[in-house]
């Protein structure tokens, strides 16, 4: 029996440090690494027993070939040689008849290690396949921040320990950023006041001193209302605005007068008195800190909304103050030269690009896509407009390969399923996007069954297609070593020996990292003449059909659709719908009743829970569940739209309206 270090591979901003106990080639215990500078020895409930996922009896352990109808889950085992030979032969036939762009890869962040996340990107560039625009999470948030701050590094989360006012804005911290709670608790001990802004009172809101419920999609109007009050009541940092900010006077003159407290209340549902009280607290705070989640960015106005919120720290001069600033997503990925793995230089000019949020359209509007290769994702469950996605996956002339650990909703529609490794079975290099820590995770145990990593699959497919590049003769460990060497570009240096050892490696930040702004003007750009409009303003959502706004929020037990394989995490409580008492009375509903939400895209069944956690006219569910975990035939994404955000071409998962029926 021995222990080794590792990293949580899931799409979470924390990237926890792990201590793995191994006995006889099996992981028998997973604990938090107390040496990690941000996660500090604790784990979320999902990862506390990661060994149950790694050694689950549900693991896929051999390649499979479909024997029954698509979606039936009927397969027979085959060898890896058979699987790779069959894939190569079918692809060569498709390429000869339709060209390489008839093949489409589909992947996202099932693993966040650089090697395994990007392993097949270069392969498909080299093949000449259609490209996938990977925008399903929160690119609008990144664009909104960049529109104001350029390439400036966001504030480190540990800085919040010195703040006297922490704002958790559209961030369900206990579900998606649990270790930031350490910093919040440290600040509270020093007297900090915690505010939470969200569309409903989730469990994170219960931990705050103040909660503000904002109408879905109106966070940008709230930000403008706050800035109106800050300016009106003399609470801005005039010296900072004059020296460090471009465009404040234009915003003040042309935009802010419209957003009085009364008008802000009309738009957002936040009482005018609360708008004023919040603005005064923010303007009088010594060093306010905003931890900005992604929820506000998943509407048609998502980038603009983030842009407006990003202006707030400039208004009060929070940047550069010890404990002040704003964190969207940390820039730890910049420590590595990811092109070592990705090879975007292999892209072919003029290649078709398919936005992953519009997979349903791509598979059903025409049949030019003849093969789909899915890895590190579960689009039958997680992609918007589920009905259209499933219709595409049912096509007889679509040859689908799924590389997976479990028989997910998507794997059931595959022609060939390939068994995938977990993070404890392969080598990789990791970074956090919620703090400034990087780490390597070396294989702790042998692959379970015949499972292979994304990188090994890329190499195997290259051989099956007759490619002879030296690139595909390397091991994952070779690539990790090159990534370690590439960290020399980090401005303050990286302890490569620490990184190579597998220990958590903190990235030292320049002393002035949040006082020097990496924008074209060298200032914070509230006014940005490269954009249309150059000044940000609130964009109201176009009203869709449907009596109720519907939001599907994160569930603390799972992460997107990951961890659905674990029976003990679901507790038989899935597809629960929070309904405000006023709406329950209006629609004559009672606790425990099954209702159907519907819109033009489809319908899904939920169990009613009458609760004042949500607001009238607004219903909420939590979690993205495999179809085997739910009562009806469809999960929440049957209701969501393939519409994209205003910038960044991101998903609009929260921009949904529905009708309700018993």
């Amino acid at each position: 029996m021995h222990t080794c270090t590792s990293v949580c591979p899931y799409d979470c901003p924390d990237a926890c440090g792990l201590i793995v106990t191994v006995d006889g080639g099996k992981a028998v215990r997973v604990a938090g690494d107390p040496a990690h500078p941000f996660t500090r020895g604790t784990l979320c409930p999902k990862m506390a027993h990661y060994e149950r996922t790694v050694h689950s009896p549900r693991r896929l352990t051999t390649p499979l070939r479909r024997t029954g109808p698509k979606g039936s889950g009927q397969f027979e085992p085959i060898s890896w040689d058979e699987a790779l030979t069959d894939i190569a032969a079918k692809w060569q036939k498709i390429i000869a008849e339709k060209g390489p762009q008839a093949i489409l890869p589909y992947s996202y962040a099932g693993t966040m290690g650089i090697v395994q996340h990007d392993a097949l990107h270069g392969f498909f560039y080299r093949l000449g396949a259609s490209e996938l625009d990977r925008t399903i999470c929160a690119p609008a948030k990144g664009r909104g921040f960049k529109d104001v701050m350029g390439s400036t590094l966001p504030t480190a989360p540990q800085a919040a320990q010195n703040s006297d006012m922490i704002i958790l804005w559209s961030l369900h911290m206990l579900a998606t950023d649990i270790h930031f709670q350490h910093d919040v608790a440290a600040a509270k001990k020093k007297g900090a006041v915690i505010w939470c802004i969200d569309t409903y009172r989730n469990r994170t809101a219960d931990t705050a001193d103040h909660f503000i419920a904002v109408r879905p999609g109106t966070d940008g109007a709230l930000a403008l209302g706050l800035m109106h009050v800050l300016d009106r009541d003399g609470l801005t940092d005039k010296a900072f605005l004059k020296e460090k900010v471009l465009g404040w006077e234009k915003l003040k003159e042309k935009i802010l007068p419209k957003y009085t407290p009364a008008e802000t209340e009309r738009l957002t549902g936040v009482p005018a008195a609360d708008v004023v009280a919040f603005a005064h607290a923010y303007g009088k705070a010594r060093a306010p800190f905003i931890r900005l989640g992604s929820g506000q960015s998943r509407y048609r106005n998502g980038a603009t909304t983030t842009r407006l919120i990003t202006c707030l720290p400039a208004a009060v001069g929070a940047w550069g103050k010890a404990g002040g600033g704003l964190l969207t997503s940390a820039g730890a990925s910049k420590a590595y030269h990811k092109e070592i793995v990705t090879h975007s230089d292999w892209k072919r000019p003029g290649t078709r690009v398919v936005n992953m949020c519009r997979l349903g359209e791509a598979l059903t509007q025409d049949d030019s896509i003849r093969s789909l290769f899915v890895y590190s994702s579960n689009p039958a469950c997680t992609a918007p407009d589920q009905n259209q996605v499933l219709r595409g996956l049912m096509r007889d002339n679509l040859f689908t390969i799924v590389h997976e650990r479990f028989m997910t909703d998507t794997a059931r529609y595959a022609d060939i399923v390939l068994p995938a490794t977990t993070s404890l079975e392969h080598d990789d290099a990791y970074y956090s996007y919620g703090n400034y820590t990087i780490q390597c995770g070396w294989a702790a145990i042998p692959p379970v069954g015949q499972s292979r990593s994304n990188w090994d699959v890329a190499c195997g497919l290259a051989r099956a297609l007759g490619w002879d590049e030296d690139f595909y003769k390397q091991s994952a460990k070779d690539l990790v070593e090159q990534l370690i060497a590439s960290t020399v570009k980090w401005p303050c240096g990286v302890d490569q020996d620490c990184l190579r050892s597998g220990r958590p490696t903190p990235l030292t930040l320049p002393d002035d990292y949040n006082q020097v702004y990496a924008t074209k003007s060298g200032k914070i750009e509230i006014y940005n003449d490269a954009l249309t409009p150059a000044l940000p303003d609130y964009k109201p959502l176009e009203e869709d059909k449907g009596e109720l706004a519907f939001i599907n929020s994160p569930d603390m037990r799972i992460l997107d659709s990951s961890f659905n394989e674990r029976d003990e995490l679901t507790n038989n409580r899935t597809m629960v719908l929070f309904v405000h008492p006023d709406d329950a009375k209006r629609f004559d509903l009672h606790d425990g009743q099954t209702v159907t939400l519907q819109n033009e895209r489809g319908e899904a069944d939920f169990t009613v829970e009458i609760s004042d956690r949500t607001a009238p006219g607004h219903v909420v569910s939590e979690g993205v569940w495999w179809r085997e975990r739910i009562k009806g035939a469809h999960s929440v994404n049957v209701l969501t739209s393939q519409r994209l955000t205003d910038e960044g071409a991101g998903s609009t998962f929260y921009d949904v309206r529905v009708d309700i029926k018993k």
Side-chain angles (χ1 to χ4, degrees), residues 34-64:
H36 194 286
F38 179 69
T39 61
R40 293 161 278 216
T42 60
L43 295 178
C44 71
K46 302 178 281 289
M47 285 302 291
H49 286 289
Y50 183 44
E51 73 279 1
R52 295 178 184 172
T53 288
V54 173
H55 296 294
S56 168
R58 302 182 61 154
R59 279 288 297 274
L60 298 172
T61 58
T62 183
L64 303 171

Side-chain angles (χ1 to χ4, degrees), residues 302-490:
T304 298
T305 295
T306 303
R307 185 181 173 192
L308 288 165
I309 296 169
T310 304
C311 293
L312 278 166
V316 298
W319 297 106
K321 293 180 178 178
L326 180 145
L327 172 60
T328 50
S329 295
S333 64
K334 296 178 181 179
Y336 298 107
H337 183 51
K338 296 170 71 174
E339 281 297 306
I340 290 166
V341 181
T342 307
H343 261 298
S344 60
D345 57 309
W346 288 351
K347 289 184 180 183
R348 302 184 188 183
T351 297
R352 169 174 55 184
V353 178
V354 175
N355 186 292
M356 70 186 306
C357 302
R358 290 180 166 167
L359 178 66
E361 290 181 4
L363 295 181
T364 58
Q365 286 191 346
D366 61 57
D367 65 354
S368 63
I369 294 173
R370 293 301 180 91
S371 182
L372 180 70
F373 190 102
V374 179
Y375 57 104
S376 299
S377 191
N378 182 17
C381 185
T382 62
D385 202 348
Q386 185 179 65
N387 271 334
Q388 197 167 37
V389 173
L390 296 181
R391 283 196 294 272
L393 292 173
M394 284 293 292
R395 276 177 36 205
D396 288 334
N397 64 349
L398 181 71
F399 176 54
T400 301
I401 307 102
V402 175
H403 185 217
E404 249 298 352
R405 302 165 303 155
F406 301 99
M407 186 56 66
T408 62
D409 291 354
T410 307
R412 292 180 179 276
Y413 290 86
D415 295 286
I416 290 181
V417 178
L418 304 174
T421 50
T422 69
S423 61
L424 298 189
E425 301 156 56
H426 55 237
D427 300 324
D428 218 330
Y430 297 86
Y431 61 89
S432 166
Y433 62 87
N435 62 87
Y436 291 94
T437 309
I438 60 176
Q439 191 171 356
C440 291
W442 304 109
I445 60 173
V448 171
Q450 298 178 40
S451 58
R452 294 186 184 181
S453 70
N454 288 353
W455 175 249
D456 287 338
V457 169
C459 295
L461 287 169
R463 287 192 298 271
L465 290 166
W467 298 358
D468 195 38
E469 281 94 346
D470 289 340
F471 181 67
Y472 291 108
K473 297 175 184 177
Q474 302 177 93
S475 67
K477 187 172 185 179
D478 294 333
L479 294 173
V480 173
E481 287 288 351
Q482 293 171 51
L483 288 166
I484 292 171
S486 76
T487 61
V488 294
K489 68 177 183 176
W490 186 256

Side-chain angles (χ1 to χ4, degrees), residues 166-173 193-214 278:
I166 297 176
I167 303 163
L168 306 172
W169 198 319
S170 207
L171 175 83
H172 191 350
M173 176 179 66
V193 177
I194 314 303
W195 292 69
C196 179
I197 303 172
D198 220 312
T199 51
Y200 77 111
R201 185 165 50 83
N202 53 36
R203 299 293 181 185
T204 296
D206 292 343
T207 70
D209 299 300
H210 302 279
F211 171 62
I212 291 179
V214 63
F278 181 32

